[in-house]
Amino acid sequence: MTDSSNTDVQPVRKQNISSDTTVLVVEDNVSNFVLIARMLGYLGIHCEWKTSGYEVVEYADTLPHLDLILMDIRLPYEDGYGALRKIRSAEHLKSIPIIAVTAEASQDQMNKSRESGFDGFLGKPLDPDRFPEQIRRILNGESVWEYA
């Protein structure tokens, strides 16, 4: 669900994104990851990939810098909610925004994600026309909760 009160859409401003910005994409579907990686690449953002929530904290610890985690909800071995709990319990990762990204895009799922502690919600399929601006807003500290 989007807030349509702002009809003046601003262009994506690449200069707002630091050249060392790193996003961890936790996604088990290769096609979805490739799409996300290409859209992030368009913004000049480096991304890393993990296919499961399992050991996501350990993997995040190997990264020299991390600005954002895009977390699929339905993952093998450990779902996005379990991974979120582990990340939130790691003191050094508590301030990293974690955005739920799921094909189970509904108001109920968005509410569950909010109640579970996610910092935002993006429903799949991701819209290539809106995604760059959504990411820019998230990286600028804005809360983004959209499923349609």
Side-chain angles (χ1 to χ4, degrees), residues 3-142:
D3 177 4
S4 59
S5 62
N6 181 4
T7 57
D8 184 26
V9 176
Q10 298 295 316
V12 174
R13 294 180 216 145
K14 290 187 184 184
Q15 67 270 23
N16 286 351
I17 296 174
S18 169
S19 62
D20 70 342
T21 299
T22 300
V23 174
L24 174 57
V25 179
V26 185
E27 170 64 63
D28 63 321
N29 182 292
V30 176
S31 298
N32 288 341
F33 169 72
V34 169
L35 173 64
I36 292 169
R38 285 183 178 167
M39 291 189 293
L40 291 172
Y42 169 78
L43 293 168
I45 296 173
H46 172 76
C47 71
E48 294 286 337
W49 183 31
K50 185 93 173 93
T51 59
S52 168
Y54 180 69
E55 295 183 347
V56 72
V57 171
E58 293 82 355
Y59 185 76
D61 285 343
T62 69
L63 304 175
H65 180 75
L66 185 57
D67 297 283
L68 173 65
I69 299 173
L70 297 177
M71 178 78 66
D72 190 10
I73 297 296
R74 295 184 65 186
L75 295 164
Y77 310 113
E78 182 169 31
D79 69 12
Y81 294 110
L84 173 73
R85 284 189 297 276
K86 284 185 177 178
I87 295 165
R88 291 293 186 231
S89 69
E91 191 63 38
H92 62 290
L93 298 174
K94 279 186 177 180
S95 65
I96 305 293
I98 306 171
I99 308 301
V101 182
T102 184
E104 295 180 19
S106 67
Q107 186 66 48
D108 287 343
Q109 191 67 264
M110 191 167 70
N111 291 342
K112 181 179 178 184
S113 296
R114 189 184 308 261
E115 291 164 7
S116 297
F118 279 97
D119 298 299
F121 187 93
L122 297 175
K124 293 178 186 173
L126 296 171
D127 182 341
D129 293 328
R130 289 184 19 225
F131 184 78
E133 182 64 15
Q134 291 167 324
I135 293 299
R136 187 190 66 74
R137 288 167 47 208
I138 292 165
L139 290 172
N140 284 326
E142 189 176 327

